Amino acid sequence: QVQLVESGGGVVQPGRSLRLSCAGSGFTFSKAGFHWVRQAPGKGLEWVAVIWYDGSRKHYADSVKGRFTISRDDLKNTVYLQMNSVRGEDTAVYYCVATGTIDSWGQGTLVTVSS
Amino acid sequence: QSALTQPPSASGTPGQTVTISCSGITSNIGSNTVNWYQQFPGAAPKVLVYTDNQRPSGVPDRFFGSRSGTSASLAISGLQSEDEADYYCVAWDDSLNGWVFGGGTKLTVL
């Protein structure tokens, strides 16, 4: 059974950094690509970033490009989202998604950017 | 403004069929398959339809997805009160090199 567990969310001040983690189990982690998707309070889903199964390609939404970095550690079965220079508009629930024939979503972790 | 266009709301009475549209362009829906997600308040999105028209195990065949040209749609037949939720379409965009989502459709069962 595929399971994705996000962690690392919390309250962070504007301009500071935060790192989100997504631990996967129940599937061949090294063969999956991963996305981060976020949802601001009361809003729709917004794609944030993607990393290829082999880490060879990474792409970002314009809204986070240059500030966020996606990475993976296949030895730890974990995907990361390093969030730097956070802004109020980054406040959202962040979901980790593993791609496959059928995509699998985690339960999300809430990031609140506030002074 | 979302890259894919969905109606913000839809409604129907129990037993009716409701269709939710999702409009894109050549670089996304015109070139790639579409997934549909169902989301209840406070919960993570759930895959309802993948690869245009495939249903994961456990999803009733009342949910039917289709894609043609640069548009896709989700039809829900035999509407039930438990279908009241938010529905999102998503597709890969070859120009943006990322996923593009629809703005979401809030389905109300009257």
Side-chain angles (χ1 to χ4, degrees), chain A residues 6-67:
Chain A
E6 300 96 335
S7 61
V11 180
V12 59
Q13 294 180 329
R16 304 298 291 265
S17 298
L18 197 66
R19 189 179 78 160
L20 305 183
S21 300
C22 170
S25 61
F27 63 102
T28 306
F29 190 90
S30 61
K31 292 187 177 180
F34 292 89
H35 296 260
W36 284 96
V37 175
R38 68 185 181 184
Q39 187 170 35
K43 302 297 184 181
L45 301 171
E46 179 190 14
W47 175 77
V48 174
V50 62
I51 185 167
W52 248 236
Y53 74 99
D54 58 0
S56 62
R57 292 176 64 178
K58 305 175 185 179
H59 299 289
Y60 302 90
D62 286 344
S63 57
V64 307
K65 199 171 293 183
R67 301 188 299 122

Side-chain angles (χ1 to χ4, degrees), chain A residues 97-98 101-105, chain B residues 34-39 44-51 54-59 88 90 99:
Chain A
V97 185
T101 303
I102 303 177
D103 298 335
S104 298
W105 290 59
Chain B
V34 174
N35 289 355
W36 288 90
Y37 296 107
Q38 178 188 57
Q39 186 180 35
K46 164 192 169 184
V47 178
L48 204 58
V49 169
Y50 66 98
T51 316
Q54 302 300 301
R55 287 181 302 276
S57 173
V59 173
Y88 294 91
V90 63
W99 272 346

